[in-house]
Amino acid sequence: MYRFKATKRGLAQPKNPLPGGYGTRANRSRLRKLAIGAAWLGSTFSVVVVALYIALTVETALKDTSWNTPKELGGSISDYVFPWETRHDLIESLKDSVILDSLDSVSIITALTLFVLVGRREEERQAHYIAWFMLDAAHNRETSYARYNALQDLNSEGLSLKGLDAPKTDLAEIQLEGADLQQATLDEVKLQKANLRKANLSFASLQQAHLRSTILERTSLFNANLEDAVLGGANLGWADLSNANLKNADFFDANFVGTNLSEANLEGASFKKARNLTTKQIKKAENWDKAEYDDDFYYQLFPDNKKKISNILSSS
């Protein structure tokens, strides 16, 4: 059984191993909602203050009997921008204000607005509880439309799916971009054509997983277990596969542009027809000489050892 490497690098691995903020979707979502809420409260308060000031100014102007026509009012409008000469005048104006007498109604409206906002937040919380209930109810079932949608909904809300236990499930074509799936158990899962771009699958178990044509661009698979997994045609561009167990994995026609394979176990892995794969990437891994490659790639790996290449090709 494969064991994760307890190297210093592994123990010191940061929560966000690559640029792009792996595992921070939930944090970003919470901060975004907090910022939006603060901006909404600030703008609402500013609008109320400005509106109240304008209303008091207009009210003061209307109470003034020194003008008879709109033209006269317009000519002296500057006198009403701040018509109070002293603080005492302002206080007296506030005491006699008809507008302020109606602020009780405004308070009621404000309270109702806050009640609605709190109610919406509670509805969101209940929706999250229902989504997690769907996940639990679908446990040990290969196919579940409810689970499929629950995972997408929770991820779209920025909630973490860390530690998800869903082995042998059908999640083909699911949209989980940026999902936090650290330490998830997804052995033998069907993820063909799924979108896992920028997802965090660090320390996840994906033994014998079906990942054909899956989007894994800039995905973190640090220390993940992909033994016997099928990743034919997968997009692994700029993904982090460092320290991962790739034993006997099939990468036929997969895209490896910028992929990090440092210290990954390549024993028995197949890289036939792999695209954008370089010898520099391969030689940073472990057991790279025990993996399978195209004939021309062997010549790149062993440029000065044609005899070794002949032996490899003849035995394959």
Side-chain angles (χ1 to χ4, degrees), residues 99-277:
I99 293 174
L100 289 181
D101 288 340
S102 63
L103 280 183
D104 286 342
S105 300
V106 176
S107 300
I108 294 174
I109 294 173
T110 303
L112 287 173
T113 303
L114 292 174
F115 177 78
V116 171
L117 291 174
V118 172
R120 288 183 60 185
R121 179 171 295 180
E122 185 61 27
E123 287 179 2
E124 290 180 357
R125 181 182 296 179
Q126 291 298 325
H128 296 160
Y129 287 150
I130 292 172
W132 281 112
F133 175 79
M134 293 297 182
L135 293 181
D136 291 338
H139 191 64
N140 292 329
R141 292 178 58 186
E142 180 179 351
T143 303
S144 170
Y145 187 70
R147 175 181 56 213
Y148 192 95
N149 285 300
L151 287 171
Q152 292 186 141
D153 291 343
L154 289 169
N155 183 57
S156 66
E157 289 293 323
L159 298 181
S160 174
L161 299 173
K162 183 177 181 180
L164 175 68
D165 185 21
K168 300 181 180 180
T169 55
D170 186 355
L171 300 175
E173 301 184 23
I174 196 169
Q175 301 296 308
L176 292 177
E177 181 172 353
D180 180 9
L181 288 161
Q182 297 179 74
Q183 302 174 13
T185 301
L186 299 168
D187 299 326
E188 300 182 51
V189 71
K190 296 178 181 178
L191 282 165
Q192 301 95 317
K193 298 182 180 179
N195 182 5
L196 293 169
R197 184 175 183 271
K198 290 187 177 181
N200 188 350
L201 284 154
S202 300
F203 296 92
S205 183
L206 290 148
Q207 292 189 69
Q208 301 181 47
H210 302 277
L211 296 157
R212 291 187 182 89
S213 302
T214 302
I215 300 174
L216 295 163
E217 183 181 3
R218 298 187 183 278
T219 298
S220 174
L221 286 156
F222 171 80
N223 228 325
N225 187 359
L226 287 155
E227 185 172 348
D228 295 312
V230 179
L231 297 99
N235 183 3
L236 290 156
W238 306 102
D240 182 11
L241 287 164
S242 58
N243 289 74
N245 178 21
L246 308 179
K247 185 177 180 180
N248 299 325
D250 183 3
F251 293 102
F252 180 85
D253 194 40
N255 178 23
F256 281 90
V257 60
T259 307
N260 183 7
L261 293 170
S262 300
E263 300 182 46
N265 178 19
L266 305 186
E267 182 181 353
S270 176
F271 294 91
K272 297 290 184 69
K273 304 296 182 181
R275 291 171 286 136
N276 302 307
L277 185 66

